[in-house]
Amino acid sequence: MSLAKKYPKEVKQILAKYPPEYKRSAVMPLLYLAQSEEGYITRQAMQDIADTLEISITDVGAIVGFYTLYHDKKEGKYRMQVCTDLPCALRGADQFMESLCANLGIKVGETTPDGLITLEAVTCLAACDRAPMFQIQSGDGLKYYEDMTVDKTMELVDTLKKSGAEVK
Amino acid sequence: MAYILLRHRDVPDIGNLNVYKNNGGFDAFKKVVTKMKPNEVTDLVKASGLRGRGGAGFPTGMKWSFIDNKIWPHYVVANADESEPGTFKDREIMESDPFQFLEGVAIASYAVGANAAYVYLRGEFWQIAKSLDEKIAEMKDAGLLGEKLFGTDYSLHIYTHLGAGAYICGEESAMLESIEGKRGQPRIRPPFPAVKGLYGKPTVINNVETLTNLPMIVANGSDWYKSMGTPDSAGVKIFSLSGRVRKPGNYELPFGTTFRQLIYEHGGGVQEGRPVKAIMPAGASSSFIVADEKVLDTPMDYAAVRALGADLGSASVIVIDDTVSIDWIINKTIHFFKHESCGKCTPCREGTYWMMHLIDRAQDGIRSEADVDLLLNVAKQMQNKCLCPLGEFSTMAVVTGIEKFPQDFRKA
């Protein structure tokens, strides 16, 4: 079913933000809406968005490929994105990441065997004073976890495993 | 002194509309719409000496005066894409003092005759965007946004637009492309956004912190604002302090505060009491400043930091102590810029790629004098050739790092 049929209110609200003659502007919010379904954007969803906005699927695909928060394949339910950029690294982010890998038993870029966590290294998230930190992306939600330790993180992983809740 | 921008530190509930209104909130917006002509607002901001807080330090009132009044409609875009490594000030403003920021957007919109404004937030500010959407709805319900405001003919709508993880979208023309539903790649300029911006129409793009100053300038006047700071840089600035300091965080201080005051009085000094080795005053885009006693006593404003061979930028001050090797730092900055290069222009796309391979090889222990020379050569060849500042920024730490700290690169 198309996004417009499934989420008529949301799609209408999104389109209303932009001048009617420039509805292509709605591509980014519509992609977030599509991604909220399964945590990634399917080819069918891209075609659907292209049809809604009267642009080509190539134009939509180019947006998905350019921006790092859009995903076109299924990975872990929770994408744990640890900032290892300069200011965080000056406060121990690399060591935090290393120890997180050891605890989760995966390397950066990999997903835990139960499909729960995909661990990623990302660039600055504007939380330089609260390192080590990461964000978790799941569904269309995204949440910051700051001033973290490995112990606190592993407790969080346990909680997420039990609840399976989306982050909001 | 009372806070001007981070007012939630004085009034904890200032993010609540009634509390904000009880503290003078939206009086300034009402005043400009009902009592001032748009060009009078621009003149007031010009007279205040306010300069853009996103990094360039361009005079705000002058930027507004460039808007083309022969072409309509006009747009205002608030740059909330805060992504420079070391910068985390706009986030605190929007999280804790959101109405003052939105009032600033409204005042700027009135001044340039815009009836629609977009707040462009980096995708990671997902929660902030949701919260701003609620605040915008509250303003509408309170008659502070919408049609015929305060009984005049002026109408204004504010919308949020969420990015999706791309540092380059903080560059103003890339940001406009992104709002138009395209990849965030900078435009060739001229034409500048003041003539041909969003949807090809005259557009003013201002940083969150810049806009948040406006209600207080309207309320208290340009002389009041100019009484703070230095003759070169009026008013207050939020310094985002990070790196090897004891108390990293945002510090709202007048321009002219010295590095020493920021790092030692406010930031609690360096971890383990170690000496400051280098300072990057503008985040990862910064040139290195070699820290010595004289440098630490430099009053920070745009001109004084430039005289040290760097830029103040958005005042994201990263402090580096003597335990850190500069080649490790530029490994981090080069990887950042390689990742964030949009790929549109060749010098940046290829230059950041080759710099990354050279620095990786050096870090792997296969270090040669020739590689250091080549790295410096590549960085210098990129300079003044890139389409937008990102490519130029990527070379700053490389060139100044190798030139000012040769011992960290030419190890035995």
Side-chain angles (χ1 to χ4, degrees):
Chain A
M1 203 197 302
S2 74
L3 285 175
K5 280 200 183 119
K6 205 163 176 185
Y7 304 100
K9 190 173 141 240
E10 286 83 353
V11 171
K12 202 177 155 201
Q13 264 177 357
I14 288 169
L15 287 170
K17 282 184 168 188
Y18 309 99
E21 64 273 37
Y22 296 105
K23 60 183 178 177
R24 178 182 179 149
S25 281
V27 66
M28 293 181 74
L30 288 178
L31 282 169
Y32 276 121
L33 187 60
Q35 190 159 274
S36 69
E37 292 258 289
E38 295 176 61
Y40 72 106
I41 297 153
T42 61
R43 197 182 155 78
Q44 182 53 45
M46 286 190 220
Q47 185 63 58
D48 175 29
I49 291 171
D51 293 344
T52 305
L53 302 180
E54 294 167 58
I55 55 179
S56 73
I57 188 169
T58 310
D59 289 330
V60 179
I63 300 290
V64 174
F66 186 84
Y67 296 94
T68 56
L69 291 176
Y70 296 131
H71 310 288
D72 59 3
K73 9 181 225 300
K74 192 170 175 61
E75 301 270 7
K77 180 168 169 59
Y78 301 101
R79 290 170 184 269
M80 184 179 282
Q81 298 162 336
V82 181
C83 176
T84 55
D85 218 337
L86 175 60
C88 279
L90 284 167
R91 309 188 72 79
D94 287 335
Q95 292 77 4
F96 173 75
M97 183 64 135
E98 218 171 278
S99 150
L100 213 51
C101 285
N103 274 272
L104 290 167
I106 52 174
K107 295 198 191 87
V108 175
E110 292 180 348
T111 303
T112 51
D114 58 3
L116 193 73
I117 305 280
T118 298
L119 190 62
E120 296 170 309
V122 297
T123 54
C124 190
L125 297 176
C128 318
D129 54 338
R130 299 172 199 169
M133 65 80 59
F134 53 84
Q135 64 183 9
I136 287 185
Q137 204 189 359
S138 85
D140 75 334
L142 196 154
K143 192 172 173 183
Y144 277 30
Y145 296 86
E146 303 173 293
D147 287 320
M148 292 304 281
T149 61
V150 175
D151 286 346
K152 265 165 51 181
T153 308
M154 294 313 291
E155 274 171 37
L156 173 70
V157 170
D158 273 346
T159 312
L160 291 174
K161 194 170 186 169
K162 281 180 198 131
S163 76
E166 300 295 345
V167 297
K168 290 284 173 195
Chain B
M1 202 175 79
Y3 281 101
I4 291 165
L5 303 167
L6 302 174
R7 281 170 73 203
H8 56 283
R9 295 186 182 183
D10 290 329
V11 186
D13 295 331
I14 198 113
N16 172 303
L17 182 57
N18 284 327
V19 175
Y20 182 64
K21 280 166 93 175
N22 291 338
N23 282 275
F26 293 106
D27 290 354
F29 181 45
K30 186 174 179 182
K31 179 179 165 186
V32 299
V33 173
T34 56
K35 297 204 169 76
M36 292 173 79
K37 293 196 185 88
N39 65 317
E40 289 171 346
V41 184
T42 301
D43 287 344
L44 172 74
V45 173
K46 264 189 193 168
S48 76
L50 178 67
R51 297 173 64 167
R53 302 293 195 245
F58 194 82
T60 305
M62 198 190 294
K63 192 176 200 178
W64 293 357
S65 69
F66 293 153
I67 199 131
D68 192 328
N69 282 317
K70 293 186 294 295
I71 309 168
W72 296 87
H74 295 171
Y75 291 102
V76 163
V77 175
N79 186 339
D81 192 57
E82 183 166 61
S83 305
E84 179 68 38
T87 312
F88 43 90
K89 62 187 178 66
D90 297 338
R91 184 185 156 201
E92 183 170 348
I93 291 173
M94 292 186 292
E95 281 175 343
S96 304
D97 193 6
F99 286 114
Q100 189 172 329
F101 159 59
L102 291 169
E103 185 176 5
V105 175
I107 291 169
S109 299
Y110 177 77
V112 300
N115 302 115
Y118 290 91
V119 179
Y120 185 102
L121 299 113
R122 62 179 298 177
E124 292 82 354
F125 288 172
W126 187 89
Q127 290 187 320
I128 300 175
K130 298 275 163 197
S131 139
L132 284 182
D133 282 341
E134 289 166 17
K135 308 286 178 203
I136 289 167
E138 283 179 52
M139 283 171 66
K140 230 182 247 174
D141 291 343
L144 297 163
L145 286 177
E147 307 298 319
K148 300 199 179 295
L149 295 169
F150 312 113
T152 69
D153 279 338
Y154 183 64
S155 306
L156 177 64
H157 295 273
I158 300 179
Y159 307 99
T160 58
H161 183 98
L162 199 54
Y167 168 77
I168 187 59
C169 289
E171 192 282 331
E172 59 182 20
S173 65
M175 177 171 288
L176 300 177
E177 290 285 297
S178 184
I179 300 176
E180 291 182 5
K182 299 170 203 159
R183 293 194 287 178
Q185 294 185 312
R187 297 174 180 172
I188 291 171
R189 292 170 295 172
F192 289 94
V195 178
K196 200 172 175 192
L198 185 61
Y199 306 125
K201 303 296 187 221
T203 302
V204 158
I205 300 131
N206 285 142
N207 167 265
V208 170
E209 184 187 350
T210 312
L211 293 162
T212 306
N213 275 287
L214 297 173
M216 298 298 251
I217 291 173
V218 170
N220 300 309
S222 55
D223 287 340
W224 165 81
Y225 197 73
K226 267 196 309 206
S227 72
M228 297 173 290
T230 67
D232 171 76
S233 313
V236 293
K237 178 83 192 77
I238 303 176
F239 295 86
S240 293
L241 181 65
S242 71
R244 307 279 298 163
V245 289
R246 287 204 178 99
K247 292 193 289 179
N250 286 320
Y251 296 97
E252 179 185 317
L253 301 164
F255 280 106
T257 302
T258 65
F259 283 112
R260 192 188 302 279
Q261 287 168 324
L262 175 67
I263 296 169
Y264 289 93
E265 280 173 34
H266 300 283
V270 179
Q271 290 176 5
E272 297 162 18
R274 305 199 74 93
V276 182
K277 173 177 176 174
I279 298 169
M280 298 178 85
S285 298
S286 194
S287 296
F288 284 104
I289 298 175
V290 183
D292 58 26
E293 298 304 312
K294 199 169 147 250
V295 161
L296 288 173
D297 286 322
T298 305
M300 289 180 281
D301 70 11
Y302 294 107
V305 175
R306 187 155 293 168
L308 296 175
D311 272 305
L312 185 60
S314 53
S316 28
V317 179
I318 304 177
V319 176
I320 296 148
D321 69 7
D322 66 341
T323 63
V324 183
S325 181
I326 301 300
D327 65 338
W328 177 84
I329 301 263
I330 72 162
N331 182 291
K332 285 284 182 190
T333 63
I334 290 172
H335 275 262
F336 172 77
F337 288 110
K338 160 68 180 69
H339 184 262
E340 300 299 343
S341 174
C342 81
K344 182 167 179 170
C345 79
T346 312
C348 177
R349 184 183 64 240
E350 295 299 313
T352 53
Y353 172 87
W354 285 107
M355 289 199 298
M356 182 183 75
H357 282 285
L358 286 163
I359 194 71
D360 277 348
R361 187 155 73 180
Q363 292 265 303
D364 286 344
I366 314 163
R367 187 185 297 268
S368 75
E369 288 283 315
D371 273 359
V372 178
D373 293 338
L374 186 56
L375 178 57
L376 188 59
N377 183 298
V378 171
K380 284 190 169 171
Q381 287 198 58
M382 289 170 67
Q383 291 186 329
N384 302 313
K385 296 185 188 72
C386 299
L387 181 63
C388 86
L390 188 150
E392 306 293 332
F393 289 160
S394 76
T395 68
M396 296 298 172
V398 177
V399 171
T400 57
I402 295 173
E403 288 181 348
K404 294 180 179 176
F405 297 93
Q407 69 282 6
D408 286 11
F409 290 86
R410 303 182 193 276
K411 297 172 193 168

